[in-house]
Amino acid sequence: MDQKVQSEMIGPDPQLQATERGPDPITDTPAASDDAPIGQAIKRQEDERLLRGAGRYTDDVTIEDALHIIFVRSPFPCGRITELECGEARSLPGVLAVYCGADVVDLGELPVNPLLAEVNAPRYPLLARGKVMAVGEPVAAVIATSSMIAQDAAELVILEVDEDSAIMSIADSKIGGDLFKDIPGNRALHQVWQSGETEKIFDEAPFVVEARLTHPRLSPTSIEPRTTAASWDERAESLTVWLSSQTPHRARKDLATIMGLSPDSIRVVSPDVGGAFGMKASLYPEDIMVAWAAWQLKQPVRWTAARSEDLLSGTHGRGAETAGKLAINSEGSFLGLSAQIDVPLGHWLPHSGAVPAWNSGRILPGPYDIDSADIEVAGFLTNSAPVGIYRGAGRPEAAALMERLVEEAARATGIDPLEIRLRNLLPASRLPHEGPTGTKLDSGDYRACLERLCNIAGYPALRRNQDSRRQQGEICGIGLACYVEPCGQGWESARVTLASDGSISAATGTSSQGHGRETAFAQIVASVFGLAAEDVAIRHGDTSTAPKGIGALASRSTAIGGSALLCAARELRDETCNIAAIQLDTHSENLRLTRAGFCRKDAPDRTATWTAIAGPAGLQKDSVYSVEGEAWGYGAYLAVVAIDAETGVLTVEHIYCVDDAGTIVNPLLVEGQILGGIAQGLGEALMEQIVYDKNGQLLTGSLTDYAVPRASDMVPVTLDKLITPSPFNILGAKGVGEAGTIGTPAAILNATLDALSPFGVTRLDMPLTSEKIWRALHDAGN
């Protein structure tokens, strides 16, 4: 393996693991043993199919005589529509329909999750009506017998707009005219959290430090773009929608509400999904238009976005502007925190549009012991694509601001950045702990995590080596970052079935977008029944066969969905145990699980097979599991960087990280999730950025202009872990899928500013391009 993409997963010290792990939530399962599937690094079962090209994505679904839809999109960022002429397009042979805003005026609106105290979502038409609000906004939908004919017809649509000045930044949104009359000042989101006498604390504190940071706007850039297909069955009066989605059940519910249909008449199928990262969490106008057109025309309709359409009109992520102040006493203890977080929203809000602002505020002060805080978040409308959740969704924004403040605190007090963190991290004895925003951190040992990180990285030696390199004229830096990660609230459902042929399967209300979740879920169920993971089939993503669920969001699927599966599996196992006891004329305590069923402990040759236990009708158990509280993953990251003085090129020499994801179902999958998150964290830190010009035109409309990390951009990584099960779900799991996107950018930013500190550079915003770094050095007179 190329050295640059190597990683090392170091297991916990046995003594440390024994003291931190606590009771194993699986030990009451008869199948629990050292070789049980749960906890084993089993290769992903789905890879055999996917790597051989046998995957079935939405665009692969064969639908006979399907029509194709192409969207006419506005080239104008803002203005009043003075003409929209579709007659010539409608007359083109092969075109069945051209829909405009007036044709869908009676459809319902896209819903928004009202997480914050103030959520004023703008009313947004599925197709522009009367005015356009952003480049890329769909103004018409052309449906034809082929995509080429639809594209030709789309070019015949005449759109004329009386342009207005575009509002493209948060600053412009605050002072510009209202984009929507019912949302004064364009502020669609707002909430304040206050705790303690923060103002007094800042007035009296010996040290007060400040930090400002602007995150780049990012595109989730999944390998599979957005894609939708729909077919109406006239005889059954039902609509089937194939959708590349993280939330098939929610999509079904929202489609029914918007179209005025019964949910029972709609089936949503999310087959294989080629990545999502938050972009596929909410419905888009395009999805609804595909479903509605199939219903109206009584013919199948399909659409697959071009990459440029995803960059132009898919949801973006990040883009927040954050500012904070931290009060510190003479011993280096943190006394109070003040933070202002402003997020861009685009011109409409997806279902999860409030999540980044909500998370970025409520997470603060992260893992640190600060009781007094004054935190305000606000979201502002702009003439751009919508901003929604992107892997991390507010977590990286909160961590980056907090960790910049910690670095400034270390500089102001003269205390080493490692030491000042150790002094202020919440001790394990204080967990669970309710923070100043009302969030309740569940379990862990933040100090042990940071100490472990510094042990595996050799922190003292790194600092000595840094001093030596600087004496030789090198520009190098070391950056630390600690984080906490909320891992979902609410409920999930599961169904475990023992079929009449003796096979065991499980269905989940959550879904998968390439996580390897089928393998992990099979491990959970198999561990309950004394089976191998390959003995359990996992079904998901089809609302007609999978139980209702919320979906794959916020690193919640293993903690909540996995717990639901564990409950259902245990209930079914107990029932099969009782049946086997009757069949074998003994007590359940005298039974032992085998791969084939049960046997008597006192007479191992007497067995009850799964087929015999199931009977001709089979057995089934359903479970709806609601978590008692939110699980919080956490971790610590360290980055080592070097800068070329002549070119400004930044090299990330190594990343070390320690993460605690609670009970680990499959270490191999966890490692993959962390590495994937680190890759996307590198993207934000070093190269990715959606850019509009001042007139609202997208300058990064293709992958020629929008830089996504390649395999060769990956850096050496050393991974390590702690294991502290969460007390808030029966599996004891915490999320880890977003860890790398949270810790990596903050650690690299801190390392870069540490490297530049001798030159008086105190602020740089990501992405940390060579030009930006060179200019900072040049402006500093070097």
Side-chain angles (χ1 to χ4, degrees):
M1 181 184 291
D2 190 314
Q3 183 181 3
K4 291 191 72 177
V5 296
Q6 284 186 356
S7 66
E8 182 180 3
M9 178 67 87
I10 306 172
D13 296 333
Q15 183 177 0
L16 180 64
Q17 186 175 9
T19 60
E20 292 195 334
R21 185 175 176 87
D24 188 335
I26 312 300
T27 53
D28 62 348
T29 300
S33 64
D34 291 339
D35 59 353
I38 198 165
Q40 298 301 308
I42 297 172
K43 290 184 178 180
R44 301 188 344 164
Q45 298 178 36
E46 48 269 62
D47 283 353
E48 175 71 19
R49 172 174 57 85
L50 297 177
L51 293 174
R52 293 182 179 275
R56 186 171 183 261
Y57 300 86
T58 296
D59 196 58
D60 297 324
V61 175
T62 301
I63 308 174
E64 189 174 352
D65 299 325
L67 304 174
H68 295 260
I69 189 168
I70 293 291
F71 293 94
V72 180
R73 300 184 183 276
S74 171
F76 308 99
C78 184
R80 182 174 59 89
I81 297 175
T82 58
E83 182 178 3
L84 181 58
E85 176 54 51
C86 303
E88 192 174 355
R90 289 190 176 101
S91 65
L92 192 70
V95 173
L96 277 76
V98 179
Y99 295 117
C100 301
D103 299 310
V104 292
V105 68
D106 294 329
L107 291 180
E109 298 182 5
L110 293 158
V112 177
N113 191 357
L115 290 168
L116 295 169
E118 179 186 327
V119 178
N120 299 313
R123 303 191 68 178
Y124 176 63
L126 302 178
L127 298 174
R129 192 165 64 248
K131 59 184 177 181
V132 294
M133 299 299 293
V135 169
E137 180 181 2
V139 298
V142 180
I143 300 166
T145 53
S146 75
S147 59
M148 292 183 65
I149 293 174
Q151 185 65 59
D152 288 343
E155 294 176 2
L156 298 176
V157 173
I158 298 173
L159 172 67
E160 293 188 4
V161 171
D162 182 10
E163 289 189 72
D164 292 333
S165 297
I167 295 175
M168 299 308 301
S169 68
I170 292 174
D172 289 344
S173 186
K174 289 180 178 180
I175 64 175
D178 295 341
L179 295 185
F180 295 89
K181 293 180 180 179
D182 55 341
I183 305 177
N186 302 320
R187 192 178 75 178
L189 304 176
H190 185 245
Q191 182 158 332
V192 173
W193 292 271
Q194 291 181 318
S195 175
E197 298 180 333
T198 309
E199 186 174 345
K200 180 181 178 182
I201 287 173
F202 278 103
D203 289 340
E204 298 176 354
F207 300 98
V208 174
V209 296
E210 299 184 12
R212 287 184 173 274
L213 178 65
T214 298
H215 285 258
R217 182 186 284 228
L218 307 177
S219 170
T221 324
S222 56
I223 292 178
E224 180 198 28
R226 293 174 293 153
T227 178
T228 312
S231 180
W232 174 258
D233 186 329
E234 186 68 26
R235 179 176 297 179
E237 294 188 338
S238 66
L239 180 69
T240 299
V241 180
W242 292 269
L243 180 64
S244 185
S245 173
Q246 298 170 241
T247 57
H249 282 281
R250 191 171 76 193
R252 172 178 178 251
K253 174 179 173 290
D254 290 346
L255 281 170
T257 300
I258 292 168
M259 296 174 61
L261 299 175
S262 165
D264 294 336
S265 67
I266 299 178
R267 174 192 178 195
V268 172
V269 183
S270 294
D272 290 321
V273 176
F277 311 122
M279 186 179 70
K280 298 176 182 177
S282 307
L283 280 178
Y284 289 84
E286 294 93 337
D287 303 323
I288 298 162
M289 286 303 305
V290 170
W292 181 80
W295 179 47
Q296 288 292 110
L297 299 173
K298 308 304 185 216
Q299 287 186 253
V301 178
R302 68 187 318 152
W303 168 73
T304 297
R307 179 64 63 189
S308 59
E309 287 184 288
D310 269 357
L311 289 166
L312 189 66
S313 62
T315 55
H316 298 156
R318 310 288 193 266
E321 297 179 3
T322 65
K325 295 192 301 181
L326 185 64
I328 313 108
N329 69 13
S330 56
E331 286 77 38
S333 297
F334 301 159
L335 304 176
L337 171 69
S338 173
Q340 174 69 50
I341 300 168
D342 294 333
V343 300
L345 299 175
H347 68 295
W348 66 278
L349 269 65
H351 185 279
S352 300
V355 171
W358 178 60
N359 271 340
S360 61
R362 75 187 184 104
I363 285 172
L364 292 172
Y368 298 103
D369 186 6
I370 304 175
D371 292 328
S372 294
D374 190 345
I375 300 165
E376 181 178 11
V377 298
F380 296 89
L381 300 170
T382 55
N383 292 116
S384 62
V387 179
I389 57 175
Y390 168 53
R391 195 174 188 176
R395 300 162 179 83
E397 295 89 323
L401 177 61
M402 193 67 221
E403 292 305 308
R404 283 303 308 138
L405 287 169
V406 173
E407 289 292 306
E408 293 299 324
R411 187 181 308 278
T413 60
I415 301 172
D416 182 87
L418 169 62
E419 176 60 27
I420 202 167
R421 285 177 169 86
L422 290 173
R423 292 184 190 183
N424 288 280
L425 287 169
L426 280 162
S429 60
R430 295 272 303 282
L431 298 176
H433 173 79
E434 184 172 316
T437 64
T439 56
K440 190 173 185 179
L441 303 176
D442 59 340
S443 65
D445 193 332
Y446 304 151
R447 293 179 182 177
C449 180
L450 182 57
E451 289 171 344
R452 189 170 182 80
L453 171 73
C454 293
N455 286 337
I456 66 169
Y459 182 77
L462 287 177
R463 286 295 185 193
R464 290 192 296 271
N465 185 51
Q466 180 186 32
D467 291 339
S468 175
R469 294 173 68 178
R470 282 180 170 176
Q471 290 173 9
Q472 298 173 35
E474 291 189 58
I475 305 175
C476 53
I478 299 168
L480 290 164
C482 298
Y483 77 90
V484 292
E485 176 190 2
C487 305
Q489 302 175 355
W491 60 276
E492 274 298 343
S493 60
R495 176 182 302 131
V496 181
T497 302
L498 174 62
S500 58
D501 63 359
S503 63
I504 292 179
S505 63
T508 173
T510 186
S511 59
S512 178
Q513 297 86 53
H515 308 76
R517 188 154 291 142
E518 294 93 330
T519 300
F521 281 177
Q523 288 178 256
I524 292 172
V525 176
S527 291
V528 175
F529 286 95
L531 303 174
E534 59 264 28
D535 295 332
V536 180
I538 300 295
R539 299 184 176 89
H540 63 89
D542 186 339
T543 61
S544 68
T545 58
K548 291 182 180 179
I550 293 177
L553 304 156
S555 296
R556 67 192 303 280
S557 290
T558 300
I560 307 177
S563 290
L565 281 165
L566 184 60
C567 286
R570 285 174 172 174
E571 290 180 17
L572 182 60
R573 179 207 62 204
D574 291 346
E575 182 173 346
T576 60
C577 185
N578 292 334
I579 294 172
I582 294 172
Q583 292 179 349
L584 296 176
D585 192 26
T586 188
H587 298 291
S588 58
E589 292 80 3
N590 190 36
L591 294 179
R592 178 182 294 112
L593 272 169
T594 71
R595 196 168 180 178
F598 289 90
C599 71
R600 287 181 56 150
K601 293 179 181 177
D602 58 352
D605 58 327
R606 296 191 60 186
T607 63
T609 66
W610 293 122
T611 303
I613 294 169
L619 300 171
Q620 179 177 290
K621 288 294 181 182
D622 289 78
S623 174
V624 177
Y625 182 76
S626 297
V627 291
E628 301 174 11
E630 197 166 20
W632 287 75
Y634 66 94
Y637 280 55
L638 186 151
V640 181
V641 306
I643 294 171
D644 186 290
E646 295 185 357
T647 64
V649 171
L650 174 70
T651 300
V652 180
E653 297 181 336
H654 208 108
I655 291 177
Y656 302 86
C657 59
V658 178
D659 299 282
D660 188 339
T663 298
I664 293 178
V665 176
N666 186 319
L668 189 64
L669 299 183
V670 168
E671 180 179 353
Q673 285 292 307
I674 295 171
L675 289 174
I678 288 173
Q680 287 181 301
L682 285 167
E684 176 176 9
L686 304 180
M687 63 191 72
E688 292 189 53
Q689 185 171 22
I690 288 285
V691 179
Y692 289 91
D693 69 14
K694 65 180 181 179
N695 297 316
Q697 295 296 327
L698 181 66
L699 301 181
T700 49
S702 75
L703 294 185
T704 302
D705 308 299
Y706 184 83
V708 179
R710 299 161 295 184
S712 59
D713 294 311
M714 195 60 180
V715 303
V717 176
T718 298
L719 307 180
D720 197 2
K721 64 180 181 293
L722 294 183
I723 300 175
T724 310
S726 172
F728 290 156
N729 64 77
I730 62 168
L731 188 60
K734 305 175 181 180
V736 75
E738 292 159 300
T741 66
I742 308 168
T744 301
I748 291 175
L749 180 59
N750 281 341
T752 303
L753 288 171
D754 179 53
L756 296 173
S757 61
F759 306 97
V761 178
T762 59
R763 177 180 175 182
L764 281 179
D765 288 323
M766 300 177 288
L768 301 167
T769 62
S770 58
E771 178 188 4
K772 194 178 293 184
I773 294 173
W774 182 89
R775 288 189 182 278
L777 284 169
H778 181 77
D779 293 343
N782 300 282

